[in-house]
Amino acid sequence: EVRLVESGGGTVQAGGSLRLSCTTSGLTFDDSEMAWYRQPPGKECDLVGSISVDGKTSYRNSGQGRFTIARDNAKNTVYLQMNGLKPEDTAVYYCATNPPFLPRYAGRCTDTAFHDWGQGSQVTVSS
Protein backbone atom coordinates (compact mmCIF):
# COMPACT_ATOMS: atom_id res chain seq x y z
CA GLU A 1 0.00 0.00 0.00
CA VAL A 2 1.23 3.48 -0.84
CA ARG A 3 2.28 5.46 2.20
CA LEU A 4 3.73 8.95 2.46
CA VAL A 5 4.97 10.17 5.83
CA GLU A 6 5.78 13.81 6.42
CA SER A 7 8.04 15.31 9.03
CA GLY A 8 9.83 18.55 9.77
CA GLY A 9 7.02 20.98 10.48
CA GLY A 10 6.90 23.31 13.43
CA THR A 11 6.66 26.91 14.55
CA VAL A 12 9.15 29.52 13.38
CA GLN A 13 9.42 33.27 13.39
CA ALA A 14 8.99 35.26 10.22
CA GLY A 15 12.12 35.05 8.13
CA GLY A 16 13.03 31.62 9.42
CA SER A 17 13.46 28.37 7.54
CA LEU A 18 12.13 24.84 7.67
CA ARG A 19 12.76 21.71 5.66
CA LEU A 20 9.92 19.26 5.28
CA SER A 21 10.56 15.65 4.40
CA CYS A 22 8.22 13.13 2.85
CA THR A 23 9.38 9.54 3.04
CA THR A 24 7.52 7.15 0.78
CA SER A 25 6.87 3.45 0.55
CA GLY A 26 4.69 1.16 -1.52
CA LEU A 27 5.41 2.91 -4.81
CA THR A 28 8.12 2.99 -7.42
CA PHE A 29 9.57 6.26 -6.22
CA ASP A 30 11.99 6.65 -9.13
CA ASP A 31 8.99 6.65 -11.48
CA SER A 32 6.77 8.86 -9.31
CA GLU A 33 6.23 12.54 -9.90
CA MET A 34 5.77 14.25 -6.55
CA ALA A 35 4.13 17.45 -5.38
CA TRP A 36 3.70 19.60 -2.31
CA TYR A 37 0.39 21.19 -1.42
CA ARG A 38 -0.57 23.40 1.46
CA GLN A 39 -3.83 24.31 3.11
CA PRO A 40 -4.06 27.45 5.26
CA PRO A 41 -6.77 27.35 7.91
CA GLY A 42 -10.19 27.92 6.36
CA LYS A 43 -8.83 28.10 2.82
CA GLU A 44 -8.52 25.87 -0.20
CA CYS A 45 -5.84 23.32 -0.86
CA ASP A 46 -3.14 25.03 -2.95
CA LEU A 47 -0.32 23.58 -4.98
CA VAL A 48 3.12 24.67 -3.81
CA GLY A 49 5.08 22.94 -6.54
CA SER A 50 6.09 19.64 -8.04
CA ILE A 51 9.15 17.70 -9.08
CA SER A 52 9.37 15.34 -12.02
CA VAL A 53 11.01 11.94 -12.11
CA ASP A 54 14.16 13.52 -13.56
CA GLY A 55 14.29 16.27 -10.96
CA LYS A 56 12.75 19.17 -12.87
CA THR A 57 10.75 21.44 -10.59
CA SER A 58 7.79 23.74 -11.02
CA TYR A 59 6.61 26.29 -8.46
CA ARG A 60 3.57 28.40 -7.85
CA ASN A 61 3.83 32.13 -7.20
CA SER A 62 3.23 31.75 -3.48
CA GLY A 63 6.77 30.47 -3.07
CA GLN A 64 8.25 33.61 -4.63
CA GLY A 65 11.64 31.99 -5.08
CA ARG A 66 11.82 31.09 -1.40
CA PHE A 67 10.92 27.42 -1.72
CA THR A 68 12.91 24.58 -3.23
CA ILE A 69 11.72 21.05 -3.92
CA ALA A 70 14.26 18.25 -4.16
CA ARG A 71 14.23 14.48 -4.23
CA ASP A 72 16.60 11.78 -3.11
CA ASN A 73 15.76 8.59 -4.94
CA ALA A 74 18.17 6.58 -2.82
CA LYS A 75 16.07 7.48 0.22
CA ASN A 76 12.66 7.45 -1.50
CA THR A 77 12.20 10.92 -0.09
CA VAL A 78 11.07 14.29 -1.38
CA TYR A 79 11.90 17.54 0.40
CA LEU A 80 10.49 21.02 0.61
CA GLN A 81 13.02 23.61 1.73
CA MET A 82 11.30 26.80 2.83
CA ASN A 83 13.31 29.95 3.44
CA GLY A 84 12.25 33.45 4.32
CA LEU A 85 8.99 32.21 5.78
CA LYS A 86 6.11 34.62 6.14
CA PRO A 87 3.00 34.48 8.33
CA GLU A 88 0.90 33.82 5.24
CA ASP A 89 2.85 30.59 4.75
CA THR A 90 1.12 29.19 7.82
CA ALA A 91 -0.65 26.04 6.68
CA VAL A 92 -0.75 22.30 6.81
CA TYR A 93 1.68 21.05 4.19
CA TYR A 94 1.09 17.79 2.32
CA CYS A 95 3.15 15.75 -0.04
CA ALA A 96 1.32 13.96 -2.81
CA THR A 97 1.79 11.78 -5.84
CA ASN A 98 -0.26 10.65 -8.87
CA PRO A 99 -0.27 13.53 -11.36
CA PRO A 100 -1.76 15.63 -12.80
CA PHE A 101 -1.44 18.16 -10.00
CA LEU A 102 -4.12 20.80 -10.27
CA PRO A 103 -3.40 24.27 -8.85
CA ARG A 104 -6.03 24.05 -6.12
CA TYR A 105 -8.78 21.93 -4.67
CA ALA A 106 -11.82 22.85 -2.64
CA GLY A 107 -12.21 21.26 0.73
CA ARG A 108 -9.54 19.24 2.47
CA CYS A 109 -6.49 18.32 0.45
CA THR A 110 -6.91 14.69 1.41
CA ASP A 111 -10.50 14.60 0.14
CA THR A 112 -9.10 14.63 -3.39
CA ALA A 113 -8.82 10.89 -3.63
CA PHE A 114 -7.09 10.86 -7.01
CA HIS A 115 -3.81 11.59 -5.24
CA ASP A 116 -2.02 9.68 -2.58
CA TRP A 117 -1.32 12.03 0.30
CA GLY A 118 0.87 12.29 3.30
CA GLN A 119 -0.74 12.92 6.66
CA GLY A 120 0.22 16.59 6.60
CA SER A 121 2.68 18.62 8.62
CA GLN A 122 1.75 21.84 10.39
CA VAL A 123 3.87 24.89 9.65
CA THR A 124 3.19 27.98 11.74
CA VAL A 125 5.01 31.24 11.08
CA SER A 126 4.72 33.91 13.73
CA SER A 127 5.16 37.62 13.14
Side-chain angles (χ1 to χ4, degrees):
E1 185 177 13
V2 174
R3 189 180 183 193
L4 291 72
V5 179
E6 292 194 34
S7 61
T11 301
V12 298
Q13 293 183 328
S17 298
L18 285 173
R19 188 179 74 161
L20 303 182
S21 299
C22 175
T23 301
T24 69
S25 61
L27 74 164
T28 305
F29 184 79
D30 291 0
D31 198 36
S32 299
E33 185 176 355
M34 304 294 297
W36 287 94
Y37 283 83
R38 69 183 186 182
Q39 186 154 43
K43 295 187 176 181
E44 294 182 333
C45 174
D46 291 332
L47 176 65
V48 176
S50 63
I51 184 166
S52 71
V53 296
D54 58 355
K56 296 181 179 178
T57 55
S58 179
Y59 302 97
R60 298 284 288 175
N61 289 342
S62 59
Q64 299 177 321
R66 300 174 294 119
F67 295 175
T68 302
I69 299 172
R71 65 190 299 152
D72 187 339
N73 289 350
K75 298 180 179 179
N76 296 329
T77 299
V78 63
Y79 303 95
L80 177 63
Q81 178 69 46
M82 301 183 290
N83 300 322
L85 284 163
K86 304 175 180 179
E88 52 263 45
D89 296 320
T90 295
V92 179
Y93 284 72
Y94 299 89
C95 61
T97 190
N98 296 335
F101 301 115
L102 273 62
R104 63 186 61 85
Y105 300 111
R108 295 176 177 267
C109 288
T110 53
D111 286 344
T112 301
F114 177 79
H115 303 297
D116 290 309
W117 300 93
Q119 82 284 0
S121 186
Q122 177 70 50
V123 172
T124 302
V125 184
S126 63
S127 60

